[in-house]
Amino acid sequence: FTLTGAQKRAAHDCLRDMSRHIPMNRLVQGDVGSGKTMVAAAAVYNACTNGAQAALMAPTEVPQTISNSTPSSVSACHTPAS
């Protein structure tokens, strides 16, 4: 799937904030199915690939669906280290 313009803008805003030297505190709002979890997943992936830690809180079935439908590099990012 392709992100919508609004999803791209929200993800870009998060990534821009994360590049600053102050902590980011952001609330992503939207209707059910509007892509909030994917925006959050992009921020988590960015944090993980840059050596930081991140947490994503979502209903149990949402992360599982994402994990099953994304490349292994993204799935590995949120898998706890051994």
Side-chain angles (χ1 to χ4, degrees):
F1 67 91
T2 303
L3 295 177
T4 67
Q7 291 166 335
K8 288 178 185 176
R9 283 190 303 278
H12 175 74
D13 289 348
C14 287
L15 299 180
R16 184 191 64 228
D17 285 356
M18 292 173 77
S19 70
R20 296 181 179 162
H21 297 286
I22 56 173
M24 180 184 75
N25 186 12
R26 181 173 293 275
L27 173 67
V28 179
Q29 296 183 160
D31 292 333
V32 172
S34 64
K36 299 176 298 293
T37 304
M38 289 309 298
V39 170
V44 168
Y45 180 75
N46 182 63
C48 291
T49 57
N50 285 292
Q53 294 181 350
L56 175 66
M57 294 178 16
T60 304
E61 67 275 2
V62 173
Q64 184 61 43
T65 301
I66 292 171
S67 178
N68 289 339
S69 64
T70 56
S72 59
S73 61
V74 175
S75 297
C77 181
H78 69 77
T79 302
S82 303

